[in-house]
Coordinates of all heavy atoms in Angstrom, one line a residue:
M1 N 18.4 11.6 -0.4 CA 17.2 11.4 0.4 C 16.0 11.3 -0.6 O 15.7 12.2 -1.3 CB 16.9 12.5 1.3 CG 17.9 12.8 2.4 SD 17.9 11.6 3.8 CE 16.8 12.6 4.8
R2 N 15.5 10.1 -0.6 CA 14.4 9.9 -1.6 C 13.0 10.1 -0.9 O 12.2 10.9 -1.5 CB 14.4 8.5 -2.1 CG 15.6 8.2 -2.8 CD 15.6 6.8 -3.4 NE 15.3 5.8 -2.4 CZ 14.7 4.6 -2.6 NH1 14.2 4.4 -3.8 NH2 14.5 3.9 -1.5
F3 N 12.8 9.6 0.3 CA 11.6 9.7 1.0 C 11.7 10.0 2.4 O 12.9 9.8 3.0 CB 10.7 8.5 0.8 CG 10.2 8.1 -0.5 CD1 10.8 7.2 -1.3 CD2 9.1 8.7 -1.0 CE1 10.5 6.9 -2.6 CE2 8.7 8.4 -2.4 CZ 9.4 7.6 -3.2
G4 N 10.8 10.5 3.1 CA 10.9 10.5 4.6 C 10.9 9.2 5.1 O 11.1 8.2 4.7
A5 N 10.4 9.3 6.5 CA 10.3 8.1 7.2 C 8.8 7.5 7.3 O 8.7 6.7 8.2 CB 10.8 8.3 8.7
N6 N 8.2 7.8 6.2 CA 6.8 7.3 6.1 C 6.6 5.9 5.7 O 5.8 5.6 5.0 CB 5.9 8.3 5.4 CG 5.9 9.6 6.0 OD1 6.0 9.8 7.3 ND2 5.9 10.6 5.1
Q7 N 7.6 5.0 6.2 CA 7.7 3.6 5.7 C 7.8 2.8 6.8 O 8.7 3.1 7.7 CB 8.7 3.5 4.6 CG 8.6 2.0 4.0 CD 9.5 2.0 2.8 OE1 9.7 2.8 2.1 NE2 10.4 0.9 2.8
W8 N 7.0 1.6 6.8 CA 7.2 0.7 8.0 C 6.9 -0.7 7.4 O 6.5 -0.9 6.5 CB 6.4 1.1 9.1 CG 4.9 1.2 8.9 CD1 4.0 0.2 9.2 CD2 4.1 2.2 8.3 NE1 2.8 0.6 8.8 CE2 2.8 1.8 8.2 CE3 4.4 3.5 7.8 CZ2 1.8 2.6 7.8 CZ3 3.5 4.4 7.4 CH2 2.1 3.9 7.3
T9 N 7.0 -1.7 8.4 CA 6.6 -3.0 8.0 C 5.4 -3.4 9.0 O 5.4 -3.0 10.1 CB 7.7 -4.0 8.1 OG1 8.2 -4.0 9.4 CG2 8.9 -3.7 7.1
E10 N 4.5 -4.3 8.4 CA 3.4 -4.8 9.2 C 3.4 -6.4 9.0 O 3.5 -6.8 7.9 CB 2.0 -4.2 8.8 CG 1.9 -2.8 9.1 CD 0.5 -2.3 8.9 OE1 -0.3 -3.2 8.6 OE2 0.4 -1.1 8.8
S11 N 3.4 -7.1 9.9 CA 3.3 -8.5 10.0 C 1.8 -8.9 10.2 O 1.1 -8.4 11.1 CB 4.1 -9.2 11.0 OG 5.6 -8.9 10.7
G12 N 1.3 -9.8 9.4 CA -0.1 -10.3 9.5 C -0.2 -11.7 9.0 O 0.7 -12.3 8.7
P13 N -1.5 -12.1 9.0 CA -1.7 -13.5 8.5 C -1.2 -13.8 7.2 O -0.9 -15.0 6.8 CB -3.2 -13.6 8.5 CG -3.7 -12.5 9.3 CD -2.6 -11.3 9.2
R14 N -1.0 -12.9 6.3 CA -0.6 -13.0 4.9 C 0.8 -12.6 4.8 O 1.3 -12.4 3.7 CB -1.4 -12.2 4.0 CG -2.9 -12.6 4.0 CD -3.7 -11.7 3.1 NE -3.5 -12.1 1.7 CZ -3.9 -11.4 0.8 NH1 -4.4 -10.2 0.9 NH2 -3.7 -11.8 -0.6
G15 N 1.6 -12.6 5.8 CA 3.0 -12.3 5.8 C 3.4 -11.0 6.2 O 2.6 -10.3 6.7
E16 N 4.7 -10.7 5.9 CA 5.1 -9.3 6.2 C 5.2 -8.4 5.0 O 5.6 -8.7 3.9 CB 6.7 -9.5 6.7 CG 7.1 -8.3 7.2 CD 8.3 -8.6 8.2 OE1 8.2 -9.1 9.2 OE2 9.5 -8.1 7.8
W17 N 4.6 -7.3 5.2 CA 4.4 -6.3 4.2 C 5.1 -5.0 4.6 O 5.1 -4.6 5.6 CB 2.8 -5.9 4.1 CG 1.9 -6.9 3.7 CD1 1.5 -8.1 4.4 CD2 1.3 -7.2 2.4 NE1 0.7 -8.9 3.6 CE2 0.7 -8.4 2.4 CE3 1.5 -6.4 1.2 CZ2 0.0 -8.7 1.2 CZ3 0.7 -6.9 0.0 CH2 0.0 -8.1 0.1
T18 N 5.6 -4.5 3.5 CA 6.3 -3.2 3.6 C 5.2 -2.1 3.2 O 4.6 -2.3 2.2 CB 7.6 -3.0 2.8 OG1 8.5 -4.0 3.2 CG2 8.1 -1.6 2.9
V19 N 5.0 -1.1 4.1 CA 3.9 -0.2 3.8 C 4.5 1.1 3.8 O 5.4 1.5 4.6 CB 2.9 -0.3 5.1 CG1 1.7 0.8 4.8 CG2 2.4 -1.7 5.2
R20 N 4.0 1.9 2.9 CA 4.5 3.3 2.8 C 3.3 4.3 2.7 O 2.5 3.9 1.8 CB 5.5 3.5 1.5 CG 6.0 4.9 1.4 CD 6.9 5.0 0.2 NE 8.2 4.3 0.4 CZ 9.0 3.9 -0.7 NH1 8.7 4.2 -1.9 NH2 10.1 3.3 -0.4
Q21 N 3.4 5.2 3.4 CA 2.3 6.3 3.3 C 2.9 7.3 2.3 O 3.9 7.9 2.6 CB 2.1 6.9 4.6 CG 1.1 8.1 4.6 CD -0.3 7.6 5.0 OE1 -0.5 7.0 6.0 NE2 -1.3 8.1 4.2
I22 N 2.1 7.6 1.3 CA 2.5 8.7 0.3 C 1.5 9.7 0.0 O 0.2 9.5 0.3 CB 3.0 8.0 -1.0 CG1 1.8 7.3 -1.7 CG2 4.1 6.9 -0.9 CD1 2.1 6.9 -3.1
R23 N 1.9 10.8 -0.5 CA 0.9 11.8 -1.0 C 0.7 11.5 -2.4 O 1.5 10.9 -3.1 CB 1.6 13.1 -0.8 CG 1.7 13.6 0.6 CD 2.0 15.0 0.7 NE 2.2 15.3 2.1 CZ 3.2 16.2 2.5 NH1 4.1 16.7 1.6 NH2 3.4 16.5 3.8
G24 N -0.4 12.0 -2.9 CA -0.7 11.8 -4.2 C 0.3 12.5 -5.2 O 0.8 13.4 -4.8
N25 N 0.6 11.8 -6.3 CA 1.5 12.4 -7.2 C 0.8 12.7 -8.5 O 1.4 12.9 -9.5 CB 2.7 11.3 -7.5 CG 2.0 10.1 -8.0 OD1 0.9 9.9 -8.3 ND2 3.0 9.1 -8.1
G26 N -0.5 12.8 -8.5 CA -1.3 13.2 -9.7 C -1.8 12.0 -10.5 O -2.7 12.1 -11.3
K27 N -1.3 10.8 -10.0 CA -1.8 9.7 -10.8 C -3.0 9.1 -10.1 O -3.2 9.4 -8.8 CB -0.7 8.5 -10.9 CG 0.5 8.8 -11.7 CD 1.4 7.6 -11.8 CE 2.6 7.9 -12.6 NZ 3.5 6.7 -12.6
E28 N -3.9 8.4 -10.7 CA -5.0 7.8 -10.1 C -4.9 6.2 -10.1 O -4.3 5.7 -11.0 CB -6.4 8.2 -10.8 CG -6.7 9.5 -10.6 CD -8.0 9.8 -11.1 OE1 -8.7 9.1 -12.0 OE2 -8.6 11.0 -10.7
Y29 N -5.2 5.6 -8.9 CA -5.1 4.2 -8.8 C -6.5 3.7 -8.4 O -7.3 4.3 -7.9 CB -4.0 3.8 -7.8 CG -2.7 4.4 -7.9 CD1 -2.4 5.7 -7.5 CD2 -1.7 3.6 -8.8 CE1 -1.1 6.1 -7.8 CE2 -0.6 4.2 -9.1 CZ -0.1 5.5 -8.5 OH 1.0 5.9 -8.8
V30 N -6.6 2.3 -8.6 CA -7.8 1.7 -8.1 C -7.5 0.9 -6.8 O -6.6 0.1 -6.8 CB -8.5 0.8 -9.2 CG1 -9.6 0.0 -8.6 CG2 -8.9 1.5 -10.4
C31 N -8.1 1.3 -5.7 CA -7.9 0.6 -4.5 C -8.5 -0.8 -4.5 O -9.7 -1.1 -4.9 CB -8.6 1.3 -3.5 SG -8.7 0.6 -1.8
P32 N -7.7 -1.9 -4.2 CA -8.1 -3.3 -4.3 C -9.1 -3.6 -3.0 O -9.8 -4.5 -3.0 CB -6.9 -4.2 -4.1 CG -5.9 -3.2 -3.5 CD -6.3 -1.8 -3.8
G33 N -9.2 -2.7 -2.1 CA -9.9 -3.0 -0.9 C -11.5 -2.6 -1.3 O -12.4 -3.3 -0.8
C34 N -11.7 -1.6 -2.0 CA -13.2 -1.1 -2.3 C -13.4 -0.9 -3.8 O -14.5 -0.6 -4.2 CB -13.4 0.1 -1.5 SG -12.4 1.6 -2.1
N35 N -12.4 -1.2 -4.5 CA -12.5 -1.0 -6.1 C -13.0 0.5 -6.5 O -13.6 0.7 -7.5 CB -13.5 -2.0 -6.7 CG -13.0 -3.4 -6.7 OD1 -11.8 -3.6 -6.9 ND2 -13.7 -4.3 -6.2
Q36 N -12.6 1.4 -5.7 CA -12.9 2.8 -5.9 C -11.6 3.5 -6.4 O -10.5 3.1 -6.0 CB -13.4 3.5 -4.7 CG -14.8 2.9 -4.2 CD -15.9 3.1 -5.2 OE1 -16.1 4.2 -5.6 NE2 -16.7 2.1 -5.5
V37 N -11.6 4.6 -7.1 CA -10.5 5.3 -7.6 C -9.9 6.1 -6.3 O -10.7 6.7 -5.6 CB -10.8 6.2 -8.7 CG1 -9.6 7.2 -9.0 CG2 -11.2 5.3 -9.9
I38 N -8.6 6.0 -6.3 CA -7.9 6.8 -5.3 C -7.6 8.2 -6.0 O -6.9 8.1 -7.0 CB -6.5 6.2 -4.8 CG1 -6.9 4.9 -4.0 CG2 -5.9 7.1 -3.8 CD1 -5.7 4.0 -3.7
G39 N -8.0 9.3 -5.6 CA -7.9 10.5 -6.3 C -6.4 10.9 -6.4 O -5.5 10.5 -5.6
G40 N -6.1 11.7 -7.4 CA -4.8 12.0 -7.8 C -4.0 12.8 -6.7 O -2.7 12.8 -6.7
S41 N -4.6 13.4 -5.8 CA -3.9 14.2 -4.7 C -4.1 13.6 -3.4 O -3.7 14.2 -2.5 CB -4.4 15.7 -4.8 OG -5.8 15.7 -4.6
A42 N -4.7 12.5 -3.3 CA -5.1 11.9 -2.0 C -3.9 11.2 -1.4 O -3.2 10.4 -2.0 CB -6.3 10.9 -2.1
S43 N -3.7 11.5 -0.1 CA -2.7 10.7 0.6 C -3.2 9.2 0.8 O -4.4 9.1 1.1 CB -2.6 11.3 2.1 OG -1.7 10.5 2.9
H44 N -2.3 8.2 0.5 CA -2.8 6.9 0.5 C -1.6 6.0 0.9 O -0.5 6.4 1.1 CB -3.5 6.4 -0.8 CG -2.6 6.5 -1.9 ND1 -2.4 7.7 -2.7 CD2 -1.9 5.5 -2.5 CE1 -1.6 7.4 -3.6 NE2 -1.3 6.1 -3.6
I45 N -1.8 4.7 0.9 CA -0.9 3.7 1.3 C -0.5 2.9 0.0 O -1.3 2.6 -0.8 CB -1.6 2.6 2.2 CG1 -1.9 3.3 3.6 CG2 -0.8 1.4 2.4 CD1 -0.7 3.3 4.5
V46 N 0.9 2.6 0.1 CA 1.4 1.7 -1.0 C 2.0 0.5 -0.1 O 2.7 0.7 0.7 CB 2.5 2.2 -1.8 CG1 2.9 1.2 -3.0 CG2 2.0 3.6 -2.5
A47 N 1.5 -0.7 -0.6 CA 2.0 -1.9 0.2 C 2.5 -3.0 -0.6 O 1.8 -3.1 -1.7 CB 0.8 -2.4 1.2
W48 N 3.5 -3.7 -0.3 CA 4.0 -4.8 -1.1 C 4.8 -5.7 -0.1 O 5.1 -5.4 1.0 CB 5.0 -4.3 -2.2 CG 6.2 -3.7 -1.6 CD1 7.4 -4.3 -1.5 CD2 6.4 -2.2 -1.3 NE1 8.4 -3.3 -1.1 CE2 7.8 -2.1 -0.9 CE3 5.6 -1.2 -1.2 CZ2 8.3 -1.0 -0.5 CZ3 6.1 0.0 -0.8 CH2 7.5 0.1 -0.4
R49 N 5.0 -6.9 -0.6 CA 5.7 -7.9 0.2 C 7.1 -8.0 -0.3 O 7.4 -8.3 -1.5 CB 5.0 -9.3 0.0 CG 3.7 -9.4 0.7 CD 3.1 -10.7 0.5 NE 3.9 -11.7 1.0 CZ 3.4 -13.0 1.3 NH1 2.1 -13.3 1.1 NH2 4.2 -13.8 1.8
E50 N 8.0 -7.9 0.7 CA 9.4 -8.1 0.3 C 9.7 -9.4 -0.2 O 10.8 -9.7 -1.0 CB 10.3 -7.8 1.5 CG 10.2 -6.4 2.1 CD 10.9 -5.4 1.1 OE1 11.5 -5.8 0.1 OE2 10.7 -4.2 1.4
D51 N 9.0 -10.5 0.2 CA 9.3 -11.8 -0.3 C 8.7 -12.2 -1.6 O 8.8 -13.4 -2.0 CB 9.0 -12.8 0.8 CG 7.6 -12.8 1.2 OD1 6.8 -12.0 0.6 OD2 7.3 -13.6 2.0
S52 N 7.9 -11.2 -2.1 CA 7.2 -11.6 -3.4 C 8.3 -11.8 -4.6 O 9.3 -11.1 -4.7 CB 6.4 -10.5 -3.8 OG 5.8 -10.6 -5.2
L53 N 8.1 -12.8 -5.4 CA 9.1 -12.9 -6.5 C 9.0 -11.7 -7.5 O 10.0 -11.4 -8.1 CB 8.7 -14.2 -7.3 CG 9.0 -15.5 -6.5 CD1 8.5 -16.7 -7.3 CD2 10.4 -15.6 -6.2
L54 N 7.9 -11.1 -7.6 CA 7.7 -10.0 -8.4 C 7.3 -8.8 -7.6 O 6.2 -8.4 -7.7 CB 6.7 -10.3 -9.6 CG 7.0 -11.3 -10.5 CD1 5.9 -11.7 -11.4 CD2 8.3 -10.8 -11.3
A55 N 8.2 -8.3 -6.8 CA 7.8 -7.2 -5.8 C 7.2 -6.0 -6.4 O 6.2 -5.4 -5.9 CB 9.0 -6.9 -5.0
S56 N 7.8 -5.6 -7.6 CA 7.3 -4.3 -8.1 C 5.8 -4.6 -8.7 O 4.9 -3.7 -8.6 CB 8.1 -3.9 -9.3 OG 8.2 -4.9 -10.2
E57 N 5.5 -5.8 -9.2 CA 4.2 -6.0 -9.6 C 3.2 -6.3 -8.6 O 2.1 -6.2 -8.7 CB 4.2 -7.3 -10.6 CG 5.0 -6.9 -11.8 CD 4.8 -8.1 -12.9 OE1 4.0 -8.9 -12.8 OE2 5.7 -8.1 -13.8
A58 N 3.7 -6.7 -7.3 CA 2.8 -7.1 -6.3 C 2.4 -5.7 -5.5 O 1.6 -5.6 -4.5 CB 3.5 -7.9 -5.2
R59 N 3.0 -4.7 -5.9 CA 2.8 -3.4 -5.2 C 1.3 -2.9 -5.5 O 0.8 -3.0 -6.5 CB 3.7 -2.3 -5.8 CG 3.9 -1.2 -4.8 CD 5.1 -0.3 -5.4 NE 6.4 -0.9 -5.0 CZ 7.4 -0.2 -4.7 NH1 7.3 1.2 -4.7 NH2 8.6 -0.8 -4.3
R60 N 0.7 -2.5 -4.3 CA -0.8 -2.1 -4.5 C -0.9 -0.8 -3.8 O -0.3 -0.6 -2.7 CB -1.6 -3.1 -3.7 CG -1.6 -4.6 -4.4 CD -2.5 -4.5 -5.8 NE -2.6 -5.9 -6.3 CZ -1.8 -6.3 -7.1 NH1 -0.7 -5.6 -7.6 NH2 -1.9 -7.6 -7.7
H61 N -1.8 -0.1 -4.4 CA -2.2 1.2 -3.7 C -3.5 1.2 -3.0 O -4.5 0.6 -3.7 CB -2.1 2.4 -4.9 CG -0.9 2.7 -5.5 ND1 -0.2 3.8 -5.2 CD2 -0.1 2.0 -6.3 CE1 1.0 3.7 -5.8 NE2 1.0 2.8 -6.5
W62 N -3.6 1.7 -1.9 CA -4.8 1.4 -1.1 C -5.2 2.8 -0.5 O -4.4 3.6 -0.1 CB -4.6 0.5 0.1 CG -4.2 -0.9 -0.1 CD1 -3.0 -1.3 -0.7 CD2 -5.0 -2.0 0.0 NE1 -2.9 -2.7 -0.7 CE2 -4.2 -3.2 -0.4 CE3 -6.3 -2.3 0.5 CZ2 -4.7 -4.4 -0.3 CZ3 -6.8 -3.5 0.5 CH2 -6.1 -4.7 0.1
H63 N -6.5 3.0 -0.3 CA -7.0 4.0 0.7 C -6.5 3.7 1.9 O -6.5 2.4 2.4 CB -8.5 4.1 0.8 CG -9.2 4.5 -0.5 ND1 -9.9 3.8 -1.3 CD2 -9.1 5.8 -1.2 CE1 -10.4 4.4 -2.3 NE2 -9.9 5.6 -2.3
T64 N -6.0 4.6 2.8 CA -5.6 4.3 4.1 C -6.5 3.5 5.0 O -6.0 2.4 5.5 CB -5.1 5.6 4.7 OG1 -4.0 6.2 4.0 CG2 -4.5 5.3 6.1
P65 N -7.8 3.9 5.1 CA -8.7 3.1 5.9 C -9.0 1.7 5.3 O -9.2 0.8 6.0 CB -9.9 4.0 5.8 CG -9.9 5.0 4.9 CD -8.4 5.1 4.6
C66 N -9.0 1.6 4.0 CA -9.1 0.2 3.4 C -8.0 -0.6 3.8 O -8.2 -1.8 4.0 CB -9.3 0.3 1.9 SG -10.8 1.2 1.4
W67 N -6.8 -0.2 3.7 CA -5.7 -1.0 4.1 C -5.7 -1.5 5.5 O -5.5 -2.6 5.8 CB -4.3 -0.3 3.9 CG -3.1 -0.8 4.4 CD1 -2.5 -0.5 5.7 CD2 -2.5 -2.1 4.1 NE1 -1.6 -1.4 6.0 CE2 -1.5 -2.3 5.0 CE3 -2.8 -3.1 3.1 CZ2 -0.6 -3.4 5.0 CZ3 -1.9 -4.1 2.9 CH2 -0.9 -4.3 3.9
Q68 N -6.1 -0.4 6.4 CA -6.1 -0.9 7.8 C -7.2 -1.9 8.1 O -7.1 -2.8 8.8 CB -6.4 0.4 8.6 CG -5.2 1.4 8.7 CD -5.5 2.7 9.2 OE1 -6.7 3.1 9.2 NE2 -4.5 3.4 9.6
R69 N -8.3 -1.7 7.4 CA -9.3 -2.8 7.5 C -8.9 -4.1 7.1 O -9.1 -5.1 7.6 CB -10.6 -2.3 6.8 CG -11.9 -2.8 7.4 CD -13.1 -2.2 6.6 NE -12.8 -0.8 6.2 CZ -13.2 -0.3 5.0 NH1 -13.9 -1.1 4.1 NH2 -12.9 0.8 4.6
S70 N -8.3 -4.1 5.8 CA -8.0 -5.3 5.1 C -6.8 -6.1 5.9 O -6.9 -7.3 6.1 CB -7.7 -5.0 3.8 OG -6.5 -5.8 3.4
A71 N -6.0 -5.4 6.4 CA -4.7 -5.9 7.1 C -5.1 -6.8 8.2 O -4.4 -7.6 8.6 CB -3.8 -4.8 7.4
H72 N -6.3 -6.5 8.8 CA -6.6 -7.2 10.0 C -7.6 -8.2 9.8 O -8.0 -8.9 10.8 CB -7.0 -6.1 11.1 CG -6.0 -5.2 11.4 ND1 -4.8 -5.6 12.2 CD2 -5.8 -3.9 11.3 CE1 -4.1 -4.6 12.3 NE2 -4.6 -3.5 11.7
T73 N -8.3 -8.3 8.6 CA -9.3 -9.3 8.5 C -9.0 -10.4 7.3 O -9.8 -11.3 7.4 CB -10.6 -8.5 8.0 OG1 -10.2 -7.9 6.8 CG2 -11.1 -7.5 9.1
R74 N -7.9 -10.3 6.7 CA -7.5 -11.2 5.8 C -6.4 -12.0 6.1 O -5.4 -11.4 6.6 CB -7.4 -10.6 4.4 CG -8.7 -10.0 3.9 CD -8.6 -9.6 2.5 NE -9.8 -8.8 2.1 CZ -9.9 -8.2 0.9 NH1 -8.9 -8.4 0.0 NH2 -10.9 -7.5 0.7
Ligands
ZN1 ZN1 -10.4 1.9 -0.8

């Protein structure tokens, strides 16, 4: 068992994304939605496209509210 069930897919104008809600693991990331740092212990979203040629490189870390906003407007 690697992760719980905190993973799902979302379909939108930009295709189908796999989304995972994760807890912070001590690393910091820059959110592409607002260009602010996601704190090392903050719960946040990781999203990527299964059909991307470079799925691992397409993976992005988002603040949860930034992802929700972006997913519906782009
Ligand atoms: Zn953000």
Side-chain angles (χ1 to χ4, degrees):
M1 299 280 274
R2 297 182 306 152
F3 293 99
N6 298 329
Q7 183 174 318
W8 63 94
T9 59
E10 290 187 14
S11 295
R14 300 178 74 197
E16 185 158 295
W17 294 75
T18 302
V19 184
R20 182 180 290 167
Q21 174 99 50
I22 65 170
R23 290 193 187 135
N25 57 9
K27 293 184 182 177
E28 292 191 341
Y29 302 94
V30 176
C31 170
C34 64
N35 292 317
Q36 303 289 313
V37 170
I38 301 170
S41 61
S43 173
H44 64 276
I45 292 281
V46 186
W48 68 94
R49 287 179 59 159
E50 293 288 358
D51 60 357
S52 170
L53 292 176
L54 295 170
S56 61
E57 293 186 18
R59 200 170 282 217
R60 295 282 184 269
H61 294 254
W62 298 74
H63 294 113
T64 301
C66 292
W67 166 256
Q68 290 170 341
R69 207 175 328 141
S70 140
H72 297 292
T73 57
R74 295 186 190 181

